[in-house]
Amino acid sequence: MSVVPQLPLALRYPQDERLETFIGAPDGALAQLRAIAVGDDPHWVYLEGAAGTGKTHQALAMCSLAEQAGRQPTYLPLKAVVGRTRAALESLEGRDLVALDGLDAVAGNRDDEVALFDFHNRARSAGITLMYTAQHAPDQLGLVLPDLRSRLQQCVRVVLQPLDDEGRAAVLRERAARRGLSIDEAAIEWLLTRTGRELGSLVSLLDWLDRESLAAQRRITVPFLRQVVEEGSHRL
C-alpha cells in the first residue's frame, strides 16, 4: 500500500486554491508559477513564507494547473511521511509535477533528507517538475545534508509575506464573492479586529459563517456576528 496520503480530488485541489484567487504574491510570481506548472518554464520552485502566508494554497494551485494542462501532478505534505519519506517518494516516479509541502517537517532527519536528495536528482534526470515549500530559506532550515541545501538553493525562490489587514479583508471579500455570500464591510472590519490574524483561521471562520447565515437566512452583519458569538455557536 502506498504511504502517500490519498486525498479525493475535490480536497486535493479545492476550488478556492487557485493562482487567480491568491492575493499578495510578489510581482511577477504568479505568472512564473503558472508557466512552471504547465511545463512552459523548466525551473523548479522553492516557496518560502511564515505559517499562514499561503504556501499550501500555492502548492495545490500548481497541481490544479498542471492537471488542467494534461500533466500528472501530486501534492505531498511531508509532515505526513516523516520517517517514511523514501518510500513515499519512490511511489511518485513517473509524475510530471510533485509539490513537496512543508520541508520544515523533515529538516534534521538525515534519512529523510537523503531520500529527498536522491529523489531531487532522479527528478532532474526524469524531467519531473518539483516545488518545495518551507517556512525558512534553505540555509535556515537546519538541514544536516549540505548537498540537499545546495540543490534547494538552485531553485527559483519565491518569498510570501504575511498579509496586512487590507490584504486579509481582500481575501475575505474574494472568498465571500465566490460563494455568493453577502457580507457587510463593517462585518469584515469586525472580524479582523476581534479574531486571530492567521489567514487560514479566518477562511475557516468564513466557511462556518456561510453555513450559519444560510441557515438563518440573514446577511452577515455586525449584529448577526454578535448574536452568534453570544449564543456560543462558535469560538472566535
Side-chain angles (χ1 to χ4, degrees):
M1 181 179 296
S2 171
V3 298
V4 178
Q6 296 299 309
L7 302 177
L9 288 179
L11 294 178
R12 189 180 297 165
Y13 313 132
Q15 288 297 317
D16 283 336
E17 313 300 331
R18 298 289 187 266
L19 288 187
E20 60 267 22
T21 67
F22 192 85
I23 293 173
D27 290 344
L30 295 184
Q32 184 168 28
L33 291 176
R34 181 174 288 105
I36 292 172
V38 302
D40 290 343
D41 186 326
H43 290 99
W44 290 359
V45 183
Y46 186 95
L47 191 64
E48 174 191 337
T53 52
K55 299 185 299 297
T56 296
H57 179 138
Q58 295 277 26
L60 292 169
M62 292 277 285
C63 288
S64 176
L65 270 174
E67 189 171 73
Q68 292 172 34
R71 308 181 79 197
Q72 293 184 312
T74 291
Y75 165 79
L76 178 62
L78 289 173
K79 67 180 180 180
V81 296
V82 173
R84 302 174 296 153
T85 301
R86 181 171 297 279
L89 294 175
E90 286 176 351
S91 71
L92 302 181
E93 304 290 348
R95 309 302 287 180
D96 295 313
L97 181 146
V98 176
L100 300 172
D101 194 9
L103 279 171
D104 316 79
V106 297
N109 184 316
R110 183 175 181 81
D111 288 343
D112 285 341
E113 289 188 23
V114 171
L116 279 170
F117 175 75
D118 290 344
F119 181 70
H120 184 106
N121 291 335
R122 293 197 306 273
R124 180 68 72 187
S125 297
I128 299 172
T129 300
L130 293 188
M131 176 186 192
Y132 298 97
T133 81
Q135 293 191 28
H136 305 287
D139 59 355
Q140 297 175 328
L141 274 179
L143 296 169
V144 298
L145 198 65
D147 286 342
L148 176 60
R149 180 169 58 250
S150 175
R151 296 296 191 277
L152 295 174
Q153 289 172 330
Q154 295 172 8
C155 298
V156 170
R157 185 178 170 210
V158 177
V159 181
L160 302 179
Q161 301 294 339
L163 292 176
D164 56 17
D165 282 346
E166 182 178 347
R168 284 190 290 274
V171 169
L172 291 177
R173 290 189 200 100
E174 193 276 335
R175 295 293 177 97
R178 286 177 61 83
R179 290 165 171 74
L181 179 62
S182 178
I183 181 169
D184 289 354
E185 282 296 313
I188 291 177
E189 182 178 351
W190 193 93
L191 286 172
L192 292 176
T193 57
R194 288 168 175 79
T195 65
R197 302 174 68 85
E198 202 275 315
L199 187 58
S201 297
L202 276 175
V203 171
S204 296
L205 176 58
L206 184 65
D207 290 339
W208 176 81
L209 290 172
D210 187 5
R211 295 190 296 271
E212 290 295 306
S213 66
L214 181 62
Q217 293 295 296
R218 291 182 57 183
R219 290 169 54 87
I220 298 180
T221 62
V222 171
F224 175 75
L225 291 173
R226 287 176 176 155
Q227 176 185 327
V228 296
V229 170
E230 290 172 1
E231 292 174 352
S233 299
H234 191 76
R235 239 174 240 245
L236 294 177

